[in-house]
Amino acid sequence: YRRRSILEFVRVEREDGVAVLTIDRQEKLNALNPQVVEEIGASLMELESDPPRVVIVTGAGERAFVAGADIGAMSEMSPVEAKRFAEIGHAAMALLDRTPVPSIAAVNGYALGGGCEIALACDIRIAAENAVLGFPEVTLGILPGMGGTQRLPRLVGPGLAKELIFTGRRISAGEAKELGLVNRVVPQGEALSAAKELAAEIAANGPVAVRYAKAAANKALDVDLVSGLEYEADQFALLFSTADAKEGMGAFMQKRKAEFKGE
Ligand code: CO8
C-alpha cells in the first residue's frame, strides 16, 4: 500500500489503547471503491507498527456500515481491473485477519456484500438493530469477492452460508444473530458504544495473553485437533515467562486487581 498522508475516506482514532477505524463515504453509504479499499489497507498497515489492544471497525453515520463494493466503479472494470480490486480487498482483509489483537466490527447499518465481508474478517461482530446484512453479489451477476465465500461457511457452516450466498437475500440483525453471523444486537445508534465497552473489557486483560489466545483460537480453523492442542499447550507455557502472568496470578493471590503492562 502507498502511504498516504491524508486519507479521504478512512480515519483512525485511538483512545485508551483502542483504535477505531471509521469508513466514511456517507453519500454512497460508505461503498468501497478502490481508493476506499486502499485507504483501509493503508490504515491497518499503519496500526501494525504500533498495535493497539483492540481494533474496532465501523461505518460513518447511522445508515450504513458499508453497503458493499461500489457498483458504479465495478460496472466499468475489466477482468484485470476486477482482479486487482479483489486483490487489494484480500490484502486489506488479510491485514485485518492477521492483526494480532482482537478486532470488533460495529455494524451500525447496512453491511452488504463487501461490507459484510469486512465484518466477517473481524473476530467479533456487534450489530445495531437497524443493521441489514447479506451477500447480494449474485443478484448483480458476480460473487462475494472479498473473502465471503471462504469466511462465511467457516462462521455459520456451509448450509446456511450457501443459502445466503445463492439467494443474495438480505437479513435483519436479529436473523443474523440467530445464525451466529453476529454476536449481539444492540439498539440503533449504539453499535459503536457497545463495541467500545467490549473493547475496554478485553483491554483490561493481559494483552499478551489475549494475543496468544487469539492466535490459538485461529489455529483451530487451520489445523487438526492434535496439532491445535499442542500449539495451545506451547502458548500456555510461553505465557509463564511474561511479567503479566506473574502479575495476574500474583494479584489474585493477594486479592487485588491486576495491573497489566503487556510484557
Ligand atoms: N455502490 C455504489 N453506490 C451505492 C452503493 C454501492 N454498493 N450502495 C449505495 N450506493 C449509493 C446509491 O447509489 C445512492 O447514491 P446516489 O444518491 O448518488 O444515487 C446512495 O448510495 C444512497 O443509496 P440509496 O439511495 O440506494 O439508499 P436506499 O436507502 O434507497 O437503499 C441500499 C439502500 C438497499 C443499501 C441500496 O443502496 C443498495 O441496494 N445498495 C447496493 C447494495 C449491494 O448490492 N452491495 C453489494 C455490492 S457487490 C460487492 O460488495 C462485491 C464485493 C467484492 C469486493 C471485491 C474487492 C474489494
Side-chain angles (χ1 to χ4, degrees), residues 6-241:
I6 298 172
L7 301 184
E8 192 179 349
F9 299 122
V10 175
R11 61 174 183 274
V12 177
E13 284 140 334
R14 295 176 77 127
E15 200 185 329
D16 301 329
V18 177
V20 179
L21 185 157
T22 305
I23 301 164
D24 188 353
R25 192 185 173 217
Q26 287 188 58
E27 75 285 1
K28 296 289 180 194
L29 301 184
N30 305 325
L32 308 167
N33 62 21
Q35 185 183 336
V36 179
V37 176
E38 288 227 9
E39 290 188 8
I40 295 169
S43 304
L44 291 168
M45 197 107 118
E46 195 85 24
L47 286 179
E48 274 198 335
S49 53
D50 179 18
R53 290 198 180 179
V54 180
V55 182
I56 296 173
V57 180
T58 194
E62 279 201 12
R63 290 187 64 204
F65 175 69
V66 166
D70 187 314
I71 301 170
M74 285 195 300
S75 69
E76 300 187 338
M77 284 180 189
S78 68
V80 171
E81 288 165 338
K83 180 79 191 288
R84 172 81 194 129
F85 189 41
E87 283 170 351
I88 60 171
H90 281 148
M93 292 310 96
L95 286 169
L96 200 49
D97 240 357
R98 221 175 53 206
T99 181
V101 302
S103 54
I104 305 172
V107 182
N108 53 309
Y110 286 110
L112 298 172
C116 222
E117 294 176 290
I118 292 175
L120 279 177
C122 292
D123 295 316
I124 295 167
R125 285 147 292 280
I126 295 180
E129 63 195 358
N130 62 310
V132 174
L133 298 94
F135 297 85
E137 283 89 343
V138 295
T139 70
L140 301 164
I142 56 175
L143 60 74
M146 215 161 68
T149 65
Q150 305 306 302
R151 291 194 179 97
L152 190 62
R154 284 170 164 80
L155 186 64
V156 304
L160 291 169
K162 287 173 181 168
E163 182 177 338
L164 285 177
I165 293 170
F166 297 166
T167 59
R169 190 191 305 136
R170 293 188 209 146
I171 60 172
S172 66
E175 286 172 275
K177 164 87 173 70
E178 257 175 52
L179 303 184
L181 178 48
V182 303
N183 293 46
R184 179 176 331 162
V185 181
V186 298
Q188 179 167 354
E190 292 181 18
L192 181 57
S193 55
K196 283 182 175 172
E197 262 174 46
L198 177 59
E201 196 181 335
I202 294 170
N205 296 325
V208 188
V210 170
R211 286 186 189 202
Y212 287 14
K214 170 169 170 167
N218 279 344
K219 270 280 180 250
L221 298 171
D222 289 339
V223 301
D224 62 277
L225 182 62
V226 171
S227 313
L229 291 172
E230 263 173 35
Y231 182 83
E232 183 192 78
D234 286 345
Q235 298 303 96
F236 178 73
L238 196 52
L239 284 170
F240 282 70
S241 65

